[in-house]
Amino acid sequence: MTAPLIEARDIAVRFGGLVAVAGVSLTIQPGDICCIVGPNGAGKSTFFNVLTGTVKPTSGEIRLGGEDFTGRPIHAFARNGVARKFQVPSVFPSLSVADNLRVAQRRGADEMALADVLDLLGLTQDAERPAGILAHGQKQWLEIGMALATEPKVLLLDEPTAGMGPEETQRTVRLIREIGSRSAVAVIEHDMEFVRALGVRTLVLHQGRVIAEGSFEVVASDERVRDVYLGRG
Ligand code: ADP
Ligand code: MG
């Protein structure tokens, strides 16, 4: 039996008096695609920051491949195959699409790998154009590609469909499924429609706690989730 790629146990994060994450556990195995959903301020990004080593948890434990990484620096996480896309896109606007990907690629990665990622993103036609002139959705895909170019074991995406229309969102859902055949993926979202479309194991966070976990059907029919999402609470 192989150890999980990521195992977060009872993670808590406090910022001064504010408890942003209050005891969240998550296990990511090879081949997993999972989704973390919750309203603004639920603690989703902070929890992701713990998974990537950006934020050290106040308490709890984080293991990569069975090894304790709690408190280790961000590059240790990156070297062990954890890649992330931030909530705000940050491509290099004056570089070409292909060069943005080359910057991100692992040393020794070749042009075949580059062509493969461009194809996956649907950006082959745009490879030599400056990234700054891409449409918003394409910039988001390019940034996903930059994380993917590092050939991670786990890719963490923080609100990859932010600002996208329905069509771009559907394409992103397909892209995430395709990425799922290469690396494990965990996606943060606040939109339940996206979660329904993706249809994977989902963790619902509210005020730093997990209030429901399971398939979309299970979490969408949960009373507490309905209260939080339909504003009944
Ligand atoms: P989400 O991504 O679910 O919207 P966040 O993890 O960004 O939620 O934020 C959870 C809570 O923690 C919010 O109340 C937010 O204001 C607070 N928070 C996040 N980052 C910091 C920080 N660096 N310092 C202080 N408070 C923070
Ligand atoms: Mg967030």
Side-chain angles (χ1 to χ4, degrees):
M1 211 183 80
T2 56
L5 297 173
I6 297 185
E7 193 175 10
R9 280 191 210 150
D10 206 17
I11 298 295
V13 179
R14 220 170 285 132
F15 295 115
L18 178 96
V19 181
V21 178
V24 177
S25 298
L26 175 69
T27 299
I28 301 177
Q29 303 276 5
D32 274 356
I33 305 181
C34 65
C35 192
I36 298 172
V37 71
N40 269 333
K44 305 181 298 295
S45 294
T46 303
F47 182 61
F48 252 37
N49 286 339
V50 171
L51 299 185
T52 58
T54 315
V55 164
K56 297 191 195 328
T58 310
S59 61
E61 190 180 69
I62 172 111
R63 304 181 83 85
L64 303 185
E67 193 181 334
D68 191 359
F69 271 66
T70 318
R72 291 180 63 175
I74 182 167
H75 61 257
F77 283 72
R79 273 196 211 126
N80 278 274
V82 179
R84 70 143 345 142
K85 180 207 164 298
F86 286 93
Q87 200 164 343
V88 181
S90 55
V91 299
F92 301 105
S94 61
L95 291 186
S96 72
V97 169
D99 281 344
N100 267 277
L101 291 170
R102 286 190 187 101
V103 167
Q105 270 185 316
R106 280 157 55 112
R107 217 180 311 175
D110 57 17
E111 290 289 303
M112 284 280 287
L114 180 73
D116 178 49
V117 174
L118 281 167
D119 182 50
L120 184 72
L121 303 175
L123 290 174
T124 304
Q125 301 295 320
D126 301 290
E128 299 313 322
R129 304 174 76 203
I133 65 172
L134 294 178
H136 172 76
Q138 292 177 311
K139 276 189 196 138
Q140 297 269 12
W141 297 328
L142 174 56
E143 218 197 340
I144 292 174
M146 290 169 72
L148 201 56
T150 68
E151 297 177 26
K153 293 179 192 153
V154 189
L155 179 60
L156 303 169
L157 305 172
D158 194 346
E159 303 209 11
T161 67
M164 287 186 182
E167 220 165 277
E168 287 179 329
T169 298
Q170 283 309 316
R171 270 200 73 168
T172 306
V173 167
R174 289 201 298 274
L175 177 61
I176 289 168
R177 290 211 192 104
E178 283 178 47
I179 291 170
S181 64
R182 309 160 176 243
S183 74
V185 188
V187 192
I188 287 181
E189 255 302 329
H190 66 261
D191 174 16
M192 271 292 179
E193 272 314 306
F194 174 90
V195 182
R196 181 204 302 276
L198 192 59
V200 298
R201 172 167 65 108
T202 298
L203 204 67
V204 186
L205 289 192
H206 179 51
Q207 296 177 344
R209 293 176 190 284
V210 177
I211 58 166
E213 186 171 6
S215 67
F216 172 79
E217 288 71 25
V218 166
V219 302
S221 60
D222 185 280
E223 272 299 303
R224 281 161 303 178
V225 175
R226 296 174 76 87
D227 286 347
V228 167
Y229 264 89
L230 304 176
R232 283 199 275 140

